[in-house]
Amino acid sequence: ASHKARHFQSQQQELGNKGDCPVRTRISWKWTGVTDAASKCCDLEKSSDSTHKMQNFSCGITLEGHNVFQGLQSLVASGLARQPLPDFIRDSPAIGSSVIRVENGKLASVQKSRTT
């Protein structure tokens, strides 16, 4: 199969076919966990103080639009989002929530909301 055909097939595996995902106008992912990313960008690795290497973090992202999952499919199709998508993004259409909490890279909980 051609590269374009393989890319299209993998896009389908990630988020299904166009129209398979529920229409959501807003999805939020909220992450918490521990990371050593600061030590990598702030040159703390050279420090003998190991307490700075691992740090707690908290961040979030909200996607809004007429159809968030269709937008994600378009990002994958255009090559702006790379596959495989993390489980907590790939599985979002089936979760049925507008707020998805992720702790240390794993799905932690979902929060149902009145508006999608």
Side-chain angles (χ1 to χ4, degrees), residues 14-88:
E14 289 291 320
L15 291 169
N17 294 313
K18 189 174 182 177
D20 284 351
C21 296
V23 175
R24 299 270 191 263
T25 58
R26 179 183 170 99
I27 298 286
S28 295
W29 286 271
K30 298 188 179 197
W31 288 272
T32 56
V34 178
T35 183
D36 65 348
S39 66
K40 296 190 184 320
C41 66
C42 298
D43 218 11
L44 294 174
E45 280 186 35
K46 296 177 184 173
S47 169
S48 61
D49 184 6
S50 63
T51 61
H52 290 101
K53 288 193 175 190
M54 298 304 287
Q55 295 179 330
N56 292 326
F57 74 93
S58 175
C59 66
I61 185 170
T62 298
L63 299 179
E64 292 182 305
H66 72 280
N67 188 331
V68 170
F69 296 124
Q70 185 178 1
L72 284 170
Q73 287 172 325
S74 296
L75 289 173
V76 170
S78 68
L80 293 172
R82 292 194 177 165
Q83 297 182 71
L85 296 174
D87 293 348
F88 51 84

